[in-house]
Amino acid sequence: NAGVTQTPKFRVLKTGQSMTLLCAQDMNHEYMYWYRQDPGMGLRLIHYSVGEGTTAKGEVPDGYNVSRLKKQNFLLGLESAAPSQTSVYFCASSYLEETQYFGPGTRLLVL
Amino acid sequence: GQQVMQIPQYQHVQEGEDFTTYCNSSTTLSNIQWYKQRPGGHPVFLIQLVKSGEVKKQKRLTFQFGEAKKNSSLHITATQTTDVGTYFCAVRHNNDMRFGAGTRLTVKP
Protein backbone atom coordinates (compact mmCIF):
# COMPACT_ATOMS: atom_id res chain seq x y z
CA ASN A 1 0.00 0.00 0.00
CA ALA A 2 1.98 2.99 -1.30
CA GLY A 3 -0.63 5.65 -0.42
CA VAL A 4 -0.21 8.72 -2.62
CA THR A 5 2.74 8.89 -5.00
CA GLN A 6 3.88 11.72 -7.24
CA THR A 7 6.18 11.80 -10.23
CA PRO A 8 8.54 13.41 -10.88
CA LYS A 9 10.06 14.47 -7.56
CA PHE A 10 11.94 17.39 -9.09
CA ARG A 11 11.91 19.11 -12.46
CA VAL A 12 13.50 22.13 -14.09
CA LEU A 13 11.69 23.74 -17.00
CA LYS A 14 12.40 26.64 -19.28
CA THR A 15 9.74 29.29 -19.73
CA GLY A 16 7.22 28.16 -22.32
CA GLN A 17 7.85 24.43 -21.95
CA SER A 18 5.07 22.06 -21.02
CA MET A 19 4.95 19.20 -18.59
CA THR A 20 2.60 16.86 -16.77
CA LEU A 21 2.74 15.93 -13.12
CA LEU A 22 1.31 12.55 -12.23
CA CYS A 23 -0.42 11.67 -8.99
CA ALA A 24 -1.46 8.13 -8.16
CA GLN A 25 -3.29 6.71 -5.13
CA ASP A 26 -4.05 3.13 -4.22
CA MET A 27 -6.61 3.79 -1.47
CA ASN A 28 -9.64 3.80 -3.77
CA HIS A 29 -10.37 7.41 -2.81
CA GLU A 30 -13.00 9.32 -4.74
CA TYR A 31 -11.59 12.80 -4.14
CA MET A 32 -8.22 14.01 -5.39
CA TYR A 33 -6.60 17.45 -5.20
CA TRP A 34 -3.68 19.42 -6.56
CA TYR A 35 -2.11 22.16 -4.42
CA ARG A 36 0.83 24.46 -4.78
CA GLN A 37 2.85 25.62 -1.81
CA ASP A 38 4.83 28.84 -1.82
CA PRO A 39 6.79 30.32 1.10
CA GLY A 40 4.55 32.09 3.58
CA MET A 41 1.37 31.29 1.69
CA GLY A 42 0.39 27.86 2.89
CA LEU A 43 -1.21 25.51 0.40
CA ARG A 44 -3.45 26.81 -2.34
CA LEU A 45 -5.85 24.56 -4.17
CA ILE A 46 -5.34 24.49 -7.93
CA HIS A 47 -7.91 21.94 -9.13
CA TYR A 48 -9.72 19.04 -7.60
CA SER A 49 -11.79 16.04 -8.61
CA VAL A 50 -14.66 14.35 -6.82
CA GLY A 51 -14.65 11.31 -9.05
CA GLU A 52 -13.41 9.68 -12.21
CA GLY A 53 -14.08 11.88 -15.22
CA THR A 54 -14.87 15.00 -13.16
CA THR A 55 -12.69 18.01 -12.37
CA ALA A 56 -13.28 21.45 -10.87
CA LYS A 57 -11.34 24.67 -10.37
CA GLY A 58 -9.88 25.60 -7.04
CA GLU A 59 -8.48 28.87 -5.77
CA VAL A 60 -5.63 29.31 -8.31
CA PRO A 61 -6.48 27.35 -11.50
CA ASP A 62 -5.06 29.71 -14.15
CA GLY A 63 -2.22 28.25 -16.21
CA TYR A 64 -3.03 24.66 -15.21
CA ASN A 65 -5.19 21.88 -16.59
CA VAL A 66 -6.10 18.55 -15.05
CA SER A 67 -7.54 15.22 -16.04
CA ARG A 68 -8.97 12.29 -14.07
CA LEU A 69 -9.38 9.54 -16.64
CA LYS A 70 -8.85 6.81 -14.08
CA LYS A 71 -9.98 6.85 -10.46
CA GLN A 72 -6.50 6.24 -9.15
CA ASN A 73 -4.73 8.90 -11.21
CA PHE A 74 -4.94 12.68 -11.27
CA LEU A 75 -2.77 14.55 -13.78
CA LEU A 76 -1.74 18.19 -13.57
CA GLY A 77 -0.60 19.85 -16.78
CA LEU A 78 1.28 23.04 -17.45
CA GLU A 79 0.89 23.95 -21.10
CA SER A 80 3.31 26.88 -21.15
CA ALA A 81 5.32 27.16 -17.96
CA ALA A 82 6.06 30.56 -16.43
CA PRO A 83 8.53 31.52 -13.67
CA SER A 84 5.53 32.31 -11.44
CA GLN A 85 4.74 28.60 -11.48
CA THR A 86 7.95 27.77 -9.64
CA SER A 87 6.63 26.06 -6.55
CA VAL A 88 6.24 22.82 -4.67
CA TYR A 89 3.22 20.88 -5.89
CA PHE A 90 1.35 18.49 -3.63
CA CYS A 91 -1.27 16.01 -4.61
CA ALA A 92 -3.74 14.68 -2.06
CA SER A 93 -6.61 12.24 -1.96
CA SER A 94 -9.46 11.61 0.44
CA TYR A 95 -12.39 9.31 0.98
CA LEU A 96 -15.16 11.81 0.29
CA GLU A 97 -14.74 14.74 2.72
CA GLU A 98 -12.60 12.96 5.26
CA THR A 99 -8.87 13.10 5.95
CA GLN A 100 -6.65 14.18 3.09
CA TYR A 101 -3.57 12.07 2.44
CA PHE A 102 -0.75 13.95 0.77
CA GLY A 103 1.92 12.79 -1.62
CA PRO A 104 5.61 13.64 -1.10
CA GLY A 105 5.50 16.64 -3.43
CA THR A 106 7.11 17.73 -6.70
CA ARG A 107 9.56 20.62 -6.73
CA LEU A 108 9.27 22.57 -9.95
CA LEU A 109 11.68 25.29 -11.02
CA VAL A 110 10.81 27.37 -14.08
CA LEU A 111 13.67 29.40 -15.48
CA GLY B 1 -14.44 30.35 -1.00
CA GLN B 2 -13.99 30.84 2.70
CA GLN B 3 -10.78 32.42 3.89
CA VAL B 4 -9.08 31.55 7.13
CA MET B 5 -6.46 33.66 8.90
CA GLN B 6 -3.81 31.90 10.94
CA ILE B 7 -1.55 33.48 13.55
CA PRO B 8 1.22 33.76 14.45
CA GLN B 9 3.25 33.17 11.32
CA TYR B 10 6.29 32.08 13.32
CA GLN B 11 6.87 30.92 16.89
CA HIS B 12 10.20 30.09 18.46
CA VAL B 13 10.09 28.45 21.87
CA GLN B 14 12.43 26.87 24.35
CA GLU B 15 11.91 23.16 24.75
CA GLY B 16 9.37 22.60 27.50
CA GLU B 17 7.44 25.81 26.82
CA ASP B 18 3.89 25.76 25.53
CA PHE B 19 2.81 26.75 22.02
CA THR B 20 -0.50 27.87 20.55
CA THR B 21 -1.60 28.66 17.02
CA TYR B 22 -4.95 30.20 16.11
CA CYS B 23 -7.19 30.16 13.08
CA ASN B 24 -9.96 32.68 12.54
CA SER B 25 -12.71 32.99 9.97
CA SER B 26 -15.21 35.77 9.33
CA THR B 27 -17.85 33.19 8.48
CA THR B 28 -19.23 30.17 10.29
CA LEU B 29 -17.33 27.00 9.48
CA SER B 30 -18.84 23.56 9.04
CA ASN B 31 -15.64 21.94 10.21
CA ILE B 32 -11.93 22.56 10.51
CA GLN B 33 -8.96 20.29 10.03
CA TRP B 34 -5.42 20.58 11.38
CA TYR B 35 -2.27 19.35 9.63
CA LYS B 36 1.41 19.23 10.51
CA GLN B 37 4.22 19.52 7.99
CA ARG B 38 7.73 18.67 9.03
CA PRO B 39 10.57 20.57 7.31
CA GLY B 40 11.01 19.11 3.83
CA GLY B 41 7.98 16.88 4.25
CA HIS B 42 4.35 16.82 3.27
CA PRO B 43 1.29 17.78 5.33
CA VAL B 44 0.01 15.08 7.64
CA PHE B 45 -3.52 15.11 9.02
CA LEU B 46 -3.83 15.60 12.76
CA ILE B 47 -7.52 16.03 13.51
CA GLN B 48 -10.91 17.28 12.37
CA LEU B 49 -13.29 19.32 14.53
CA VAL B 50 -16.96 19.49 13.68
CA LYS B 51 -19.02 20.45 16.73
CA SER B 52 -19.39 23.87 18.32
CA GLY B 53 -17.13 24.15 21.38
CA GLU B 54 -15.50 20.82 20.64
CA VAL B 55 -12.24 20.01 22.42
CA LYS B 56 -10.07 17.08 21.41
CA LYS B 57 -6.77 15.93 22.83
CA GLN B 58 -3.94 13.93 21.37
CA LYS B 59 -1.29 13.41 24.05
CA ARG B 60 0.25 16.89 24.49
CA LEU B 61 -1.87 18.46 21.71
CA THR B 62 -5.22 20.10 22.49
CA PHE B 63 -7.53 21.22 19.71
CA GLN B 64 -10.50 23.54 20.23
CA PHE B 65 -13.34 24.69 18.01
CA GLY B 66 -14.99 27.94 19.03
CA GLU B 67 -18.56 28.14 20.21
CA ALA B 68 -19.50 30.19 17.16
CA LYS B 69 -17.51 27.86 14.87
CA LYS B 70 -15.52 30.81 13.55
CA ASN B 71 -12.22 30.08 15.22
CA SER B 72 -10.03 27.21 16.30
CA SER B 73 -6.79 26.69 18.18
CA LEU B 74 -4.08 24.11 18.54
CA HIS B 75 -2.17 24.10 21.82
CA ILE B 76 0.94 22.05 22.51
CA THR B 77 1.94 21.56 26.13
CA ALA B 78 5.63 21.27 27.00
CA THR B 79 7.01 21.34 23.48
CA GLN B 80 9.63 18.86 22.38
CA THR B 81 12.09 19.04 19.48
CA THR B 82 9.93 16.52 17.65
CA ASP B 83 7.15 19.14 17.51
CA VAL B 84 9.16 21.24 15.04
CA GLY B 85 7.30 21.96 11.83
CA THR B 86 4.55 24.06 10.34
CA TYR B 87 0.99 23.66 11.59
CA PHE B 88 -1.86 24.41 9.23
CA CYS B 89 -5.57 24.71 9.69
CA ALA B 90 -7.81 23.92 6.73
CA VAL B 91 -11.46 24.51 6.03
CA ARG B 92 -13.76 23.00 3.44
CA HIS B 93 -16.47 24.91 1.64
CA ASN B 94 -18.35 22.52 -0.60
CA ASN B 95 -15.35 20.66 -1.99
CA ASP B 96 -13.04 23.66 -2.12
CA MET B 97 -10.30 23.38 0.52
CA ARG B 98 -8.66 26.49 1.96
CA PHE B 99 -5.57 26.33 4.12
CA GLY B 100 -4.31 28.91 6.56
CA ALA B 101 -0.83 30.29 5.89
CA GLY B 102 0.53 28.12 8.68
CA THR B 103 2.47 28.69 11.89
CA ARG B 104 6.08 27.63 11.75
CA LEU B 105 7.26 26.28 15.09
CA THR B 106 10.93 26.02 15.99
CA VAL B 107 12.07 24.55 19.30
CA LYS B 108 15.37 25.30 20.96
CA PRO B 109 16.72 22.33 22.94
Side-chain angles (χ1 to χ4, degrees):
Chain A
N1 191 333
V4 180
T5 58
Q6 292 182 232
T7 54
K9 288 185 171 55
F10 178 72
R11 184 76 184 268
V12 179
L13 289 180
K14 294 181 180 179
T15 297
Q17 287 184 318
S18 63
M19 79 163 294
T20 300
L21 281 67
L22 171 64
C23 176
Q25 52 95 4
D26 60 2
M27 296 175 282
N28 201 35
H29 286 165
E30 290 292 335
Y31 290 19
M32 296 187 74
Y33 316 79
W34 274 109
Y35 294 90
R36 61 177 289 172
Q37 185 173 34
D38 303 294
M41 299 189 73
L43 292 100
R44 291 183 292 168
L45 184 63
I46 304 172
H47 287 279
Y48 63 94
S49 168
V50 299
E52 180 179 320
T54 71
T55 62
K57 295 180 179 180
E59 183 182 359
V60 289
D62 294 343
Y64 305 94
N65 57 76
V66 289
S67 64
R68 183 96 181 269
L69 299 179
K70 293 182 178 181
K71 186 177 183 178
Q72 63 267 35
N73 295 336
F74 195 27
L75 278 63
L76 177 71
L78 286 75
E79 290 188 349
S80 180
S84 61
Q85 293 178 304
T86 292
S87 188
V88 179
Y89 292 85
F90 287 101
C91 174
S93 72
S94 67
Y95 174 69
L96 302 181
E97 298 183 1
E98 300 298 322
T99 305
Q100 289 188 64
Y101 294 86
F102 283 81
T106 295
R107 293 183 179 277
L108 176 65
L109 174 62
V110 183
L111 301 175
Chain B
Q2 293 177 325
Q3 301 294 332
V4 58
M5 301 300 295
Q6 189 172 356
I7 57 170
Q9 189 173 3
Y10 302 98
Q11 186 78 56
H12 178 69
V13 300
Q14 188 78 36
E15 187 173 22
E17 293 181 337
D18 293 354
F19 159 78
T20 305
T21 174
Y22 302 89
C23 277
N24 298 292
S25 170
S26 58
T27 59
T28 302
L29 304 171
S30 57
N31 62 68
I32 191 163
Q33 296 178 343
W34 285 93
Y35 291 80
K36 176 184 178 181
Q37 183 177 24
R38 294 181 184 275
H42 59 273
V44 175
F45 175 82
L46 294 176
I47 211 157
Q48 176 168 281
L49 304 173
V50 178
K51 299 177 182 177
S52 169
E54 189 170 15
V55 178
K56 288 187 176 181
K57 293 189 176 183
Q58 290 179 351
K59 297 182 180 178
R60 294 179 294 103
L61 278 62
T62 302
F63 304 84
Q64 292 189 344
F65 203 7
E67 292 291 341
K69 299 181 75 173
K70 290 185 176 182
N71 58 76
S72 180
S73 65
L74 158 59
H75 179 82
I76 301 178
T77 303
T79 55
Q80 300 175 358
T81 55
T82 54
D83 295 324
V84 164
T86 301
Y87 294 84
F88 295 97
C89 59
V91 298
R92 183 186 295 272
H93 178 67
N94 293 325
N95 292 310
D96 191 339
M97 290 295 299
R98 297 297 170 98
F99 279 72
T103 296
R104 183 178 175 184
L105 172 65
T106 55
V107 180
K108 184 177 181 181

